[in-house]
Amino acid sequence: MAAQDGSEVVGMEDEVTQKVPEVLCEAAGQEDAAGTEQASLSDGESTSAQPAAVSNGEESDEGKEMVEVKIIWNKNKYDLKIPLDGTGAKLKEKIHTLTGLPPAMQKVMYKGLLPEDKTLREIKVTNGAKIMVVGSTINDVLAVNTPKEVIQQEVKAEENKKEPLCRQKQHRKVLDKGKPEDVMPSIKGAKERLPTVPLSGMYNKSGGKVRLTFKLEQDQLWIGTKERTEKIPMGSIKNVVTEPIEGHEDYHMMAFQLGPTEASQYWVYWVPAQFVDAIKDTVLGKWQYF
């Protein structure tokens, strides 16, 4: 058949020849598209795998001219390397990092007070320069400025920890004698003016009888014993200490501090409670009961 009409064979070959390039082109196009898609995907993966640069806001000192200085604060010395073109304000930030001292609380001294707005180059800071820093940390300031109320509470708490006076050995030897038979009557929880007669029937530290006479016109306290009478100017009495006697709270033990230390205290036992405030106010010059 092909020999009889070669034209038919030729026609079929032409048709096949025409289709093959089309198929090849289509396949090539698909390969190109796939390659492009693969390349895009690969590029995308590569891009996403690279970490982004993150800045912490600090300037790098790389490549800058540096100067080495010695920071002296609170008897401590710190070596510091800082850009020569950095300002005094930047130096204060570095000092804060070293010492914990906030910039606002720093006084930085180098040939006088260091200006914050000028560079170290401008104020002629050289290698090995000593820079003095004066200032206190916030904790130091708080410690110094503790409110008086807090201090008073702490002192009071410390006093409460101490053994009561009436239990101390030096006082027990007098208190163990018991209440004097001729002591003046007492009224617990009351406040009365001083009587016009001496307060009598009490003991002193040696266990002897003692009486107290308040000479207001002479501004004197007379402390009388069997042996003698001491006339003491009230202005010379530094303090008055009192404490209720355990088991007999309607009576107090009382000390008049006659000198600069507690060693000069003159103790009196079994003072009627109703006169305690009047005695203290009279001796210390408050006079509110008169």
Side-chain angles (χ1 to χ4, degrees):
M1 290 176 61
Q4 291 179 356
D5 54 0
S7 59
E8 183 179 350
V9 174
V10 172
M12 291 177 62
E13 289 177 354
D14 290 342
E15 185 178 351
V16 171
T17 302
Q18 291 173 0
K19 287 183 178 181
V20 169
E22 290 179 3
V23 172
L24 291 175
C25 288
E26 185 178 350
Q30 290 175 351
E31 287 180 2
D32 290 343
T36 303
E37 183 178 353
Q38 182 65 28
S40 299
L41 179 60
S42 175
D43 290 345
E45 289 175 350
S46 176
T47 302
S48 61
Q50 293 176 355
V54 178
S55 172
N56 58 11
E58 294 184 0
E59 263 185 59
S60 172
D61 292 336
E62 187 176 350
K64 294 181 179 179
E65 186 177 355
M66 309 294 285
V67 62
E68 295 182 3
V69 297
K70 191 174 292 292
I71 305 298
I72 302 173
W73 171 73
N74 201 20
K75 297 183 180 179
N76 296 315
K77 296 180 181 179
Y78 305 88
D79 292 321
L80 177 63
K81 197 171 183 179
I82 188 169
L84 192 56
D85 289 316
T87 62
K90 285 291 184 184
L91 176 59
K92 282 191 170 186
E93 291 176 9
K94 295 288 187 181
I95 293 172
H96 181 204
T97 303
L98 287 174
T99 65
L101 187 63
M105 301 179 72
Q106 297 176 22
K107 282 189 178 179
V108 183
M109 310 295 293
Y110 180 74
K111 298 179 181 179
L113 192 62
L114 186 85
E116 292 190 6
D117 56 342
K118 290 189 177 181
T119 67
L120 304 188
R121 187 189 300 277
E122 288 175 321
I123 59 177
K124 298 181 174 22
V125 174
T126 57
N127 275 318
K130 293 181 180 179
I131 297 178
M132 304 294 297
V133 179
V134 179
S136 301
T137 64
I138 293 175
N139 289 337
D140 291 337
V141 172
L142 290 176
V144 171
N145 293 332
T146 304
K148 291 182 179 179
E149 294 79 8
V150 175
I151 295 175
Q152 290 172 352
Q153 289 173 4
E154 290 176 353
V155 170
K156 189 174 181 180
E158 188 63 29
E159 289 177 347
N160 290 338
K161 292 178 184 177
K162 295 180 181 178
E163 184 180 26
L165 293 171
C166 60
R167 294 184 190 175
Q168 294 177 12
K169 185 177 179 179
Q170 59 175 324
H171 302 300
R172 285 290 357 146
K173 64 182 182 180
V174 179
L175 295 174
D176 286 346
K177 293 178 65 173
K179 184 169 65 173
E181 293 181 0
D182 57 346
V183 71
M184 297 180 69
S186 63
I187 306 172
K188 185 179 179 181
K191 292 183 180 181
E192 293 187 3
R193 297 182 179 184
L194 292 175
T196 55
V197 297
L199 295 178
S200 59
M202 301 169 291
Y203 290 138
N204 60 18
K205 196 171 182 178
S206 62
K209 287 294 184 68
V210 65
R211 64 183 177 275
L212 302 177
T213 305
F214 296 88
K215 294 289 185 177
L216 302 183
E217 66 281 1
Q218 300 175 37
D219 197 26
Q220 292 179 343
L221 169 62
W222 291 10
I223 301 178
T225 63
K226 184 178 179 181
E227 294 78 19
R228 62 182 180 275
T229 297
E230 297 285 347
K231 299 180 180 181
I232 302 168
M234 291 188 189
S236 69
I237 300 175
K238 308 299 181 184
N239 195 18
V240 179
V241 178
T242 68
E243 183 182 283
I245 298 173
E246 238 177 13
H248 300 275
E249 282 75 14
D250 50 338
Y251 288 95
H252 282 229
M253 49 190 292
M254 177 178 290
F256 299 98
Q257 186 172 323
L258 306 180
T261 66
E262 292 183 359
S264 62
Q265 289 175 335
Y266 187 97
W267 284 95
V268 179
Y269 303 86
W270 302 101
V271 179
Q274 69 269 26
F275 299 129
V276 168
D277 286 340
I279 292 172
K280 292 174 68 174
D281 291 340
T282 300
V283 170
L284 298 177
K286 296 183 180 179
W287 304 98
Q288 67 184 44
Y289 288 93
F290 301 92

